[in-house]
Amino acid sequence: MNRGVVRLLPKPKVSIFICGCGHTGSTLLARILAAHPDIFSVRRETSAFVSSDGARWTKLSAVLLQAAISRRSVWVEKTPNHIHYTGQIIETIPGARFIVVTRDGRDIVASLGQRYEGDFDKAFQRWIADSKASMERIEKGESILWRYEDFIESPALSIERLCRFIGVAFDPGILNYHQQPVIWGREKAVRTPHSARRHAQVNQPITDYRGSWRSSLPMEVACRFDAGEARKIMGYFGYAQADRPAGVDHLSVVEKRPFVLRQIGSNCPRSSSLRRRIGERACLP
């Protein structure tokens, strides 16, 4: 199996890849889109383009055949790490488009740090690398930015924008995805503690986890978002730091004050460019 054969395989008209940094709500998003009657969403991370060539074509051919059999007009694949392989994806699947997912960097690093058994530096460096790749993909086009916080604020509006980008009609019923539980991941049944956690995660209603970093992110790690490259990345994606009165240490701010999410309005210096990234213009029919 090779790239040429994969390109010849029958596939739905629209190919969508959800990618970006992990722990941004990407599984939740894939789960919601999977409930749409016109979308075939792969119920696992294939990591196809992260794999060696032989495994890549085997994985892609299997998924594309499943998508063709589904007779849906759109297929969606979610592997966050594919954000580093978008060029190869476009070469292999011409016309592929990307939903680039993001979230407040502090929440991402707090969540990844727990996954990495307390290695918050590793989590921070992954967020930097994935975010820079996300910025590059957005600037190249063929993509739409999806922010977890915007989704939590207005689920219907957020998903409606994605549906316009994808080219399907918005069905409000897909937000009730949890009413029909599914098995998600490589296992076909809930057999292990990990699969049990994943099963609960993908079948729970929309839950607000914004700002969870306040109770789990070490102070010295949270401070790293206030300067240098991290601050620039936060600004690019529309996140502003909490205002800190002079002389107030970081810990007291974390304990007593909420973080400020930059509003997308006329008084925001990045409002027009951020609208473009999120896709208010690109998604219009």
Side-chain angles (χ1 to χ4, degrees):
M1 186 70 66
N2 55 42
R3 179 184 301 174
V5 173
V6 168
R7 294 181 69 170
L8 291 174
L9 284 172
K11 58 182 72 66
K13 295 180 180 179
V14 180
S15 302
I16 301 293
F17 289 83
I18 299 174
C19 51
C21 193
H23 293 233
T24 52
S26 57
T27 300
L28 169 64
L29 177 57
R31 173 73 170 91
I32 291 172
L33 294 178
H36 195 288
D38 294 329
I39 296 176
F40 172 79
S41 182
V42 184
R43 294 183 181 179
R44 66 184 185 281
E45 294 183 12
T46 69
S47 298
F49 288 87
V50 184
S51 308
S52 61
D53 283 349
R56 176 183 304 178
W57 312 131
T58 299
K59 291 178 179 180
L60 281 176
S61 61
V63 170
L64 289 174
L65 286 174
Q66 293 174 20
I69 292 171
S70 75
R71 297 187 178 181
R72 308 286 177 89
S73 59
V74 178
W75 76 288
V76 173
E77 193 277 348
K78 188 276 293 188
T79 297
N81 203 31
H82 276 163
I83 194 63
H84 298 282
Y85 300 88
T86 58
Q88 293 94 316
I89 290 173
I90 291 176
E91 288 178 5
T92 305
I93 305 176
R97 288 184 282 169
F98 305 91
I99 298 174
V100 180
V101 293
T102 195
R103 181 184 181 190
D104 186 310
R106 294 164 292 190
D107 278 329
I108 293 174
V109 173
S111 182
L112 282 172
Q114 295 177 24
R115 174 180 173 182
Y116 295 151
E117 300 181 344
D119 191 342
F120 289 98
D121 183 67
K122 179 180 178 180
F124 185 83
Q125 295 304 325
R126 175 177 171 181
W127 171 72
I128 290 284
D130 289 354
S131 295
K132 289 170 68 174
S134 296
M135 293 161 65
E136 183 178 351
R137 179 67 262 165
I138 290 167
E139 295 302 324
K140 288 182 177 179
E142 303 299 333
S143 61
I144 185 172
L145 175 63
W146 182 85
R147 304 196 314 173
Y148 173 80
E149 291 80 9
D150 296 337
F151 168 75
I152 293 297
E153 187 70 26
S154 182
L157 179 59
S158 176
I159 300 302
E160 183 181 12
R161 284 173 175 161
L162 290 188
C163 286
R164 278 185 279 170
F165 173 74
I166 293 170
V168 296
F170 172 59
D171 179 0
I174 65 177
L175 295 174
N176 297 320
Y177 61 92
H178 58 283
Q179 295 178 359
Q180 296 182 334
V182 300
I183 301 296
W184 200 276
R186 298 184 183 280
E187 298 182 31
K188 296 183 179 180
V190 179
R191 297 191 181 96
T192 66
H194 175 75
S195 62
R197 288 193 299 271
R198 176 53 59 92
H199 180 74
Q201 178 189 38
V202 301
N203 291 302
Q204 68 179 1
I206 296 168
T207 305
D208 187 354
Y209 292 111
R210 292 175 294 178
S212 58
W213 64 272
R214 297 190 194 92
S215 61
S216 57
L217 191 66
M219 177 183 66
E220 63 273 15
V221 180
C223 286
R224 297 175 70 177
F225 290 87
D226 293 339
E229 195 170 34
R231 185 179 183 88
K232 292 179 181 178
I233 290 172
M234 292 283 277
Y236 179 91
F237 288 110
Y239 299 101
Q241 303 299 305
D243 296 326
R244 299 191 200 163
V248 177
D249 65 86
H250 179 78
L251 182 58
S252 65
V253 171
V254 171
E255 290 176 338
K256 298 177 182 178
R257 303 205 42 176
F259 78 97
V260 178
L261 178 65
R262 179 181 283 129
Q263 298 297 312
I264 307 174
S266 58
N267 61 341
C268 172
R270 290 183 181 269
S271 61
S272 61
S273 60
L274 186 57
R275 283 196 189 99
R276 237 178 358 257
R277 293 166 193 155
I278 293 175
E280 283 189 14
R281 294 179 182 174
C283 287
L284 293 176

